[in-house]
Amino acid sequence: KIITVDAGFRNANLLQHIPQSKIVEINNGVDLNIFKPQPANLDKLGLSNLKDRKIILFVGNLLPLKRLDLVIKALKLLNDKNAALLVVGGGYEVDKYKKMTKDLNIESQVCFAGSCANPVKLVQYYNAASCVVVPSDYESFSLVAIEAMACGKPLVLSDLPILKNKISEAVFFEKGSVDSLKNALEKALSLSEEERKKISELEIEKAANDFSWSNHMNKLTEMYRG
């Protein structure tokens, strides 16, 4: 058997010569005992300066295809001094992005927290966010998106087919468009408490039904026993 996170990969060049019966779709999974709504302690995270700010969270390796540059430029376009970008992740291009925030004169609105391998700390970052953005040009499937879902956080996602097929409760923007991302962030940050609560409930339910670690392991076990 060949496991894929999305049946759409059946059409990929790599799988075209594989019998369809051998291809099995099993979604990524998250540990819902860790990734769940909980109070975030900004002081403990060293983010006291972000208290009472509208935090846009980006989590990921700072590779070009992850398009952190789009988020930085969109933050500038937002022209909202109360909005802040929190970047959790490392990579060889971090200095380039720091320079970009300086050149755009938004250094005070961007915090680079570095990499985080500790899931207990990572979930604190998610829960500190007003929204979570996945601006990638390409994703095989976004673990960040489902971790944010499990925490009940509004999502802003590039309109990649795999994300649109898997996730319905999100604000989508045109891939690669700074203006479209700016509008999507504006929409996500302006959600009312009632709208946030509704989105959170739907996301947590979907995470439990489709993306739980136990669900993932059950399907994997069934396939091997198959």
Side-chain angles (χ1 to χ4, degrees):
K1 299 288 185 180
I2 293 178
I3 301 170
T4 175
V5 293
D6 182 69
F9 285 116
R10 292 174 190 271
N11 300 319
N13 291 335
L14 185 65
L15 301 181
Q16 282 182 353
H17 304 292
I18 305 294
Q20 295 296 300
S21 59
K22 287 186 174 291
I23 301 172
V24 179
E25 177 181 312
I26 300 179
N27 288 327
N28 284 333
V30 293
D31 188 342
L32 300 181
N33 292 316
I34 296 174
F35 291 92
K36 59 186 177 181
Q38 58 184 261
N41 189 328
L42 290 174
D43 292 328
K44 200 170 181 180
L45 288 171
L47 301 173
S48 302
N49 60 317
L50 297 185
K51 282 183 179 178
D52 301 320
R53 304 282 291 274
K54 293 180 284 187
I55 299 174
I56 301 163
L57 177 64
F58 172 96
V59 178
N61 199 327
L62 305 187
L63 297 171
L65 64 83
K66 295 296 185 179
R67 298 310 304 270
L68 176 60
D69 61 306
L70 282 180
V71 191
I72 293 171
K73 292 172 184 175
L75 178 64
K76 175 67 175 181
L77 289 181
L78 275 177
N79 195 28
D80 182 351
K81 296 300 182 184
N82 198 36
L85 171 61
L86 173 59
V87 180
V88 177
Y92 66 92
E93 294 215 314
V94 64
D95 290 336
K96 182 187 88 171
Y97 295 124
K98 287 180 178 180
K99 183 178 184 300
M100 187 181 295
T101 65
K102 184 176 182 180
D103 292 343
L104 293 173
N105 198 30
I106 54 172
E107 279 182 291
S108 63
Q109 290 180 261
V110 183
C111 175
F112 290 87
S115 300
C116 179
N118 183 342
V120 175
K121 185 176 182 181
L122 183 58
V123 78
Q124 283 279 303
Y125 285 124
Y126 281 117
N127 278 285
S130 299
C131 69
V132 178
V133 60
V134 180
S136 310
D137 282 341
Y138 170 81
E139 287 282 349
S140 56
F141 188 74
S142 175
L143 189 58
V144 169
I146 59 175
E147 287 173 346
M149 282 178 63
C151 295
K153 290 299 172 177
L155 284 165
V156 175
L157 309 176
S158 55
D159 58 356
L160 301 174
I162 188 168
L163 298 181
K164 296 190 81 171
N165 290 340
K166 297 284 185 181
I167 300 169
S168 55
E169 297 304 321
V171 182
F172 290 95
F173 72 94
E174 182 184 345
K175 182 185 78 172
S177 169
V178 175
D179 289 329
S180 181
L181 174 53
K182 175 255 183 184
N183 292 335
L185 289 171
E186 212 164 43
K187 183 175 180 180
L189 293 176
S190 64
L191 291 169
S192 67
E193 284 304 314
E194 185 177 341
E195 289 171 324
R196 285 177 172 277
K197 183 180 179 183
K198 183 178 179 181
I199 289 171
S200 179
E201 289 171 350
L202 290 170
E203 285 185 331
I204 292 168
E205 182 181 6
K206 185 169 182 62
N209 291 337
D210 296 348
F211 303 119
S212 70
W213 185 244
S214 59
N215 189 310
H216 174 90
M217 291 305 299
N218 287 340
K219 288 183 178 180
L220 198 60
T221 303
E222 286 172 14
M223 189 204 69
Y224 276 101
R225 286 177 176 169

